[in-house]
Amino acid sequence: MRHMCATMLALQAIILGLAIPVMITVEDVPASVAALIGGGLAVLCILVAGMLRRPWAYVVGHLIQVATIATGFLVPIMFFIGLMFLALWLGAFFLGRRIEADKARWAAAGE
């Protein structure tokens, strides 16, 4: 689960970084605001991806998804992109949890 969620956060960081110039040039968001929001969320994604060994990091990952969707108020297409990453995050989270449970069950049955 950790690897799948970390991969989603890493990809999301790239997209959030690429959203900064779009915010500035297309939507006329001030550069400081765009850098703070896009760059801040991108850095947070990378930091949380590295901390996914701790259970609270998954809660922060969920909050990052909400914040990414909220960037749609600055760049409307981010509503769609945020929802897409939310779906990928939840898929990685729940599928990863199921895979870990299956591995534990198989290991117990093999002993």
Side-chain angles (χ1 to χ4, degrees):
M1 177 170 73
R2 185 176 71 224
H3 297 292
M4 291 171 38
C5 288
T7 301
M8 289 302 108
L9 287 173
L11 293 172
Q12 190 169 356
I14 293 168
I15 297 301
L16 287 165
L18 291 172
I20 296 170
V22 174
M23 288 184 212
I24 296 168
T25 58
V26 177
E27 298 297 331
D28 295 323
V29 175
S32 58
V33 173
L36 181 67
I37 293 173
L41 282 173
V43 168
L44 187 61
C45 284
I46 298 301
L47 291 174
V48 171
M51 291 188 240
L52 287 176
R53 290 189 172 141
R54 296 170 177 88
W56 58 264
Y58 291 96
V59 174
V60 177
H62 292 306
L63 294 175
I64 289 172
Q65 304 314 311
V66 172
T68 301
I69 293 169
T71 61
F73 291 109
L74 295 174
V75 180
I77 192 67
M78 289 302 288
F79 284 123
F80 172 73
I81 294 171
L83 287 172
M84 181 183 68
F85 272 106
L86 174 65
L88 290 170
W89 170 261
L90 291 175
F93 182 78
F94 290 113
L95 183 60
R97 186 180 272 181
R98 181 182 294 170
I99 290 170
E100 285 180 354
D102 286 344
K103 282 183 180 180
R105 197 171 338 134
W106 293 334
E111 292 177 359

